[in-house]
Structure formats: C-alpha cells, structure tokens
Amino acid sequence: MFDEKKYRVYVCGNIHCRMNGSEGLLRLLEEKIWALGLDGDVEVRVSGCQNRCDFGPNITVWPGPWRYSHLTFEKVEQIVEQHLRGGEPVRALLHSAPPDF
C-alpha cells in the first residue's frame, strides 16, 4: 500500500528532466507541501526515467497514475493546490500520451 500516505509523487530525476529544471521543481514541491501541512499525506520521491523525456520535467502522482509533463513552478503549485490538497487532478496539465512501458 502507500505507508499511510494519501499520495506518492515521483519526480523524474533523470538527465533530461534535470536539464529542464526538475531539481528546482522538486524543492518547490517539497516546500509547498510542507507549507500547506500536507507532509503527513504526501510522500515525494525522485524516480528514474518516466519515459517522457521530450516532455520534461515530469512527475507522476499515485494513486493513479496521473502523469504530468512540461512542468513549471506555476504548474507545480497548481498541482499541489488542486490535486494534492483538493483531491482533484489538474486534467489540463496531464500528459496525453501514455508512456511506453
């Protein structure tokens, strides 16, 4: 299961996403989760490649999977507010093509 956490967020830590700013987005994500008191409900992990390299930086939220791509600081803040705090995925920001697993 999810170790008592409501959500698990995987931030891609592979080279393409890092080159597009995923490390800064990770810090913002963690800060925003902490500031809103969601750290008891949300676990954040750095993942390997999420197979959406051309669309990075990428995150995946579980349960789901809800896959977000082309992320910016503003988009991450919206995901935290609407999805992680409000329980409603931000459908306009979802990656449309499923990854090729």
Side-chain angles (χ1 to χ4, degrees), residues 11 17-18 20-33 56-59 68-82 90 93:
V11 178
C17 285
R18 282 196 331 262
N20 286 309
S22 68
E23 290 174 333
L25 294 176
L26 171 64
R27 284 191 301 276
L28 173 69
L29 178 66
E30 291 175 329
E31 289 171 6
K32 186 78 171 168
I33 287 168
N58 300 295
I59 66 171
Y68 295 100
S69 297
H70 293 293
L71 295 176
T72 63
F73 288 142
E74 294 78 18
K75 290 176 181 179
V76 167
E77 288 182 344
Q78 186 178 0
I79 291 166
V80 171
E81 288 285 345
Q82 185 175 322
V90 186
L93 301 182

Side-chain angles (χ1 to χ4, degrees), residues 39-56:
D39 48 307
D41 292 330
V42 181
E43 179 179 356
V44 178
R45 293 185 177 186
V46 176
S47 75
C49 182
Q50 296 184 8
N51 294 333
R52 302 187 305 272
C53 300
D54 291 339
F55 308 101

